[in-house]
Amino acid sequence: MGSNASGDDFDFDWDTEDELEISEIPFCGSNLPNPTCGDVSCNGEGSSSAHSSNSKLIQDFVGMGFAEKLVVKAIEENGEGSAESKILETLLTYSVLENSTEAENQCIESDHSSSDYLEGFLSDFSDVESWSVDEDKENADSLSEKEKNLRSLEKMGYSADLVKEAMNRCPDAPLAELTDFIFAAQLARADGAHLPAEIKPKVNYTCSGNGELKKRRLYAELYERKKHRGMLEEDGEMIRLPKPMVGFGLPTDDYSKIVRERTLPEQAMGPPFFYYENVALTPKGVWDTISRFLYDIPPEFVDSKYFCAAARKRGYIHNLPIHNRFPLLPYLPLTIHEAFPLTKRWWPSWDTRTNLNCLQTAIGSAKLQDRIRKAVENNDGEPPAHVQKYVLDECKKWNLLWVGRNKVAPLEPDEFELLLGFPRNHTRGGGISRTDRYKSLGNSFQVNTVAFHLSTLKPLYPDGINVLSLFSGIGGAEVALHRLGIPLKNVVSVEISEVNRNIVRCWWEQTNQKGNLIDFDDVQMLDANKLESLMGSIGGFDLVVGGSPCNNLAGSNRVSRDGLEGKESSLFYDYFRILDAVKSITHRGYV
């Protein structure tokens, strides 16, 4: 989640209208706050004449928070004219000597940008309803300071290992310093995970109270790692996200201008057909890996803002025909005011949004809504630019709508259903909580987008289709096929969430499906023997569809964005395993 930091540590590109992306950390110190010093000028003018030719280089490193005399020493050690990366490596080596006199006397800025960032960072967690820091207020008075810190860190969602490490390394540190330590460790681990062991820098992060300086050192190191990683991968052809994300075309396109053919590898051809989905904005190299496993088929990247009023940038790999696609009718509204006309009366002229951002699994809290109301009401007439920016950033982040004079509110679950193309009340009732509805909907397909892609199956299966639905969620693929008029003969649905399985079962019964719904709760338990038995009993699968968890891929995840090595997102390999087994069983005969 993002923050409202006034510092320059991070910036969010809201133009993506999708998952939050951490921007690249600049190497040059000109974009970092300018530190002030007591006895040495930070602009390099106090450098000795022996180093005057390196004044710009010294200025850049001093701007990153290193003491000038350490910079000069590093340049002397490496020789004048040395590469910046070597000088930076030497400076980072110096910096880990936390107990040295030189490290204690670094000149740093006192503009509180670190504390401003941390305040914003922590406030994000307090703005998510499921992470309310006031939840156990009644018992807080009886806890020690250490226990309070431990409980607060656990509620923020940090792993037990990181919390334990922080508490051990910083036993008497306040909560802000513990959070700063964990944040730095997460950044280092997440970025270093992509490097071979022999080139991973070893940095000893400690809680010295010098948070801003440590953070700048860390950012500089991460920049160098990113450069090194880029050099390691430059020989590989990386998949690029297209602009605009329209895949092989949209319902409104002139099909005479669409690519008429695409070549599929022989081993990828169907039947069975398959369809795989995940977030478009993944860590570098993830889509290359997914494509390589799925028979080297390039992804079709589509943003669902062309199908509804909310952005949803997704990649799809499939072996479906691409000609004669047709959309679900009627079309969904494509703008906020078309989808929610009552908001137009209260919409301020300076809020220029026409589409909503990607629908997430959490919503902005009542406390955040109240802060926005007060921020707008405290200004007569149109708020000043900085207030407008704050309000717009929060509205984009949490998809807030104007529902009254100076009043914003989050989308209701019924409004999520509308935007995602599900029938009204699809997730309502049956003991399902409001929080579970948001979670289920935020992780689902956008039905109209998926239906457009699957529509080419209708003439191929007029009598019905057998579907293996992996990571079924709330049945987005099943709803899409049903609305396309493709009879569902047999659906084997695999979904870990009991809440989601109940939603799909309820929809199945409410829509009077004539076929059979067979459900399982764990893809990892679906082995070749089980698949062969299922295929023998129903006559094989015509379509294998699903989207493995994006938990460790999405840009909004700052805690464990570990790519396909992450605990949840590594389940992609089970999608491939099962698909490959289905294809193998199909080709050798299963009856």
Side-chain angles (χ1 to χ4, degrees):
M1 314 249 171
S3 77
N4 305 325
S6 59
D8 294 320
D9 293 331
F10 289 102
D11 186 25
F12 295 114
D13 177 12
W14 290 114
D15 293 336
T16 64
E17 296 179 331
D18 208 338
E19 291 87 353
L20 313 184
E21 289 295 295
I22 300 176
S23 65
E24 295 290 333
I25 305 300
F27 176 73
C28 178
S30 60
N31 289 331
L32 293 166
N34 233 354
T36 56
C37 308
D39 32 345
V40 181
S41 171
C42 286
N43 62 11
E45 292 176 359
S47 300
S48 66
S49 59
H51 303 285
S52 59
S53 61
N54 293 300
S55 59
K56 179 62 171 64
L57 186 62
I58 294 172
Q59 177 184 347
D60 286 344
F61 282 118
V62 169
M64 293 169 63
F66 295 106
E68 182 172 352
K69 64 180 180 179
L70 278 184
V71 176
V72 172
K73 182 179 177 183
I75 293 174
E76 289 176 345
E77 183 174 320
N78 288 279
E80 293 190 15
S82 298
E84 294 178 357
S85 58
K86 288 187 173 295
I87 298 171
L88 176 61
E89 186 178 348
T90 303
L91 286 168
L92 289 169
T93 302
Y94 293 158
S95 70
V96 301
L97 304 175
E98 295 289 341
N99 296 322
S100 70
T101 304
E102 291 167 333
E104 290 296 325
N105 292 324
Q106 303 288 333
C107 69
I108 62 171
E109 182 181 20
S110 59
D111 66 351
H112 307 298
S113 61
S114 176
S115 60
D116 286 347
Y117 171 78
L118 189 57
E119 180 183 353
F121 179 70
L122 293 175
S123 72
D124 277 343
F125 289 103
S126 65
D127 282 340
V128 181
E129 291 187 337
S130 58
W131 296 338
S132 171
V133 295
D134 297 327
E135 194 175 285
D136 297 324
K137 196 171 183 180
E138 296 178 1
N139 302 321
D141 294 338
S142 62
L143 300 176
S144 67
E145 191 65 29
K146 188 173 182 179
E147 289 171 331
K148 289 179 183 177
N149 289 344
L150 178 62
R151 179 169 295 190
S152 297
L153 291 169
E154 288 174 343
K155 286 181 181 178
M156 290 178 192
Y158 293 124
S159 69
D161 290 342
L162 275 177
V163 172
K164 182 178 179 181
E165 182 181 355
M167 301 290 278
N168 288 340
R169 298 280 286 276
C170 319
D172 300 316
L175 179 61
E177 206 163 298
L178 290 169
T179 310
D180 197 36
F181 173 90
I182 294 175
F183 176 63
Q186 284 172 342
L187 279 176
R189 291 179 184 181
D191 203 81
H194 300 279
L195 291 173
E198 63 270 17
I199 64 170
K200 286 183 182 179
K202 294 179 174 59
V203 178
N204 180 30
Y205 297 104
T206 63
C207 293
S208 65
N210 205 353
E212 176 66 17
L213 178 58
K214 288 187 300 174
K215 208 174 287 185
R216 289 188 197 170
R217 291 173 181 162
L218 176 62
Y219 295 158
E221 181 184 3
L222 293 187
Y223 172 83
E224 193 61 22
R225 293 188 196 178
K226 289 177 186 292
K227 267 178 48 176
H228 199 149
R229 189 195 312 170
M231 288 187 285
L232 292 175
E233 296 177 347
E234 65 183 0
D235 294 334
E237 186 67 27
M238 306 301 293
I239 290 175
R240 304 293 180 183
L241 298 182
K243 290 184 179 181
M245 286 190 184
V246 296
F248 294 119
L250 301 173
T252 54
D253 285 343
D254 179 357
Y255 274 83
S256 65
K257 298 179 181 178
I258 296 176
V259 177
R260 293 189 173 275
E261 299 294 339
R262 66 168 178 157
T263 302
L264 292 175
E266 184 177 350
Q267 69 270 28
M269 294 181 180
F273 293 104
F274 67 89
Y275 185 80
Y276 175 82
E277 180 257 20
N278 218 312
V279 294
L281 301 174
T282 63
K284 188 175 182 181
V286 166
W287 274 111
D288 298 84
T289 301
I290 293 173
S291 176
R292 188 167 64 251
F293 272 84
L294 295 181
Y295 316 107
D296 291 313
I297 299 176
E300 178 179 10
F301 290 108
V302 182
D303 189 338
S304 292
K305 72 178 183 180
Y306 300 108
F307 291 84
C308 68
R312 205 172 189 79
K313 291 182 171 70
R314 296 294 184 266
Y316 305 88
I317 293 183
H318 59 83
N319 62 347
L320 298 168
I322 61 174
H323 304 295
N324 301 316
R325 290 171 163 179
F326 61 89
L328 291 177
L329 296 176
Y331 289 114
L332 288 178
L334 295 181
T335 68
I336 296 173
H337 294 326
E338 289 173 356
F340 310 112
L342 295 180
T343 62
K344 191 172 184 179
R345 176 184 177 187
W346 307 108
W347 210 268
S349 59
W350 44 270
D351 186 343
T352 58
R353 288 178 294 159
T354 58
N355 296 93
L356 293 166
N357 198 358
C358 185
L359 304 180
Q360 305 288 346
T361 56
I363 62 170
S365 69
K367 184 168 67 174
L368 171 65
Q369 298 164 49
D370 187 53
R371 284 207 301 268
I372 290 174
R373 178 184 61 80
K374 290 176 180 176
V376 177
E377 284 183 349
N378 286 342
N379 298 276
D380 294 330
E382 190 171 287
H386 73 278
V387 173
Q388 292 182 22
K389 184 181 185 305
Y390 162 72
V391 172
L392 281 175
D393 283 354
E394 296 299 328
C395 286
K396 290 175 180 177
K397 185 193 310 182
W398 300 107
N399 283 320
L400 301 175
L401 302 177
W402 296 93
V403 297
R405 181 176 174 79
N406 301 329
K407 286 172 55 179
V408 294
L411 292 162
E412 292 296 321
D414 292 349
E415 294 167 330
F416 266 56
E417 290 173 347
L418 168 66
L419 293 166
L420 293 171
F422 287 95
R424 187 176 178 84
N425 296 326
H426 184 71
T427 59
R428 186 181 182 186
I432 300 168
S433 71
R434 191 165 178 262
T435 299
D436 281 338
R437 292 183 74 188
Y438 283 120
K439 182 177 179 180
S440 297
L441 287 160
N443 287 319
S444 71
F445 284 159
Q446 204 289 322
V447 171
N448 297 64
T449 309
V450 171
F452 183 61
H453 296 161
L454 298 179
S455 62
T456 53
L457 296 176
K458 185 170 184 178
L460 301 179
Y461 299 99
D463 299 323
I465 191 170
N466 287 339
V467 180
L468 174 56
S469 179
L470 304 174
F471 315 101
S472 295
I474 56 175
E478 292 87 328
V479 172
L481 290 166
H482 172 67
R483 290 192 59 196
L484 286 167
I486 303 175
L488 299 172
K489 291 198 299 186
N490 295 282
V491 173
V492 175
S493 171
V494 189
E495 169 56 42
I496 193 71
S497 165
E498 183 179 2
V499 167
N500 291 346
R501 292 199 305 273
N502 289 339
I503 289 171
V504 174
R505 176 67 65 180
C506 185
W507 170 83
W508 188 271
E509 294 169 353
Q510 289 176 344
T511 51
N512 299 314
Q513 298 294 327
K514 306 301 181 186
N516 302 306
L517 175 62
I518 306 165
D519 53 34
F520 295 91
D521 62 2
D522 191 351
V523 294
Q524 295 178 305
M525 302 303 292
L526 203 59
D527 58 20
N529 291 334
K530 188 65 177 176
L531 286 167
E532 192 159 10
S533 174
L534 286 166
M535 294 170 70
S537 64
I538 67 175
F541 293 114
D542 305 307
L543 173 66
V544 179
V545 62
S548 55
C550 66
N551 304 51
N552 309 115
L553 306 181
S556 55
N557 179 3
R558 290 187 175 185
V559 179
S560 57
R561 199 182 186 210
D562 301 325
L564 293 176
E565 290 71 42
K567 180 180 178 182
E568 286 82 14
S569 294
S570 63
L571 290 171
F572 158 73
Y573 297 107
D574 283 285
Y575 177 93
F576 166 72
R577 172 185 62 81
I578 293 169
L579 170 62
D580 210 46
V582 169
K583 290 175 69 67
S584 176
I585 296 168
T586 300
H587 292 157
R588 74 167 186 261
Y590 43 81
V591 180

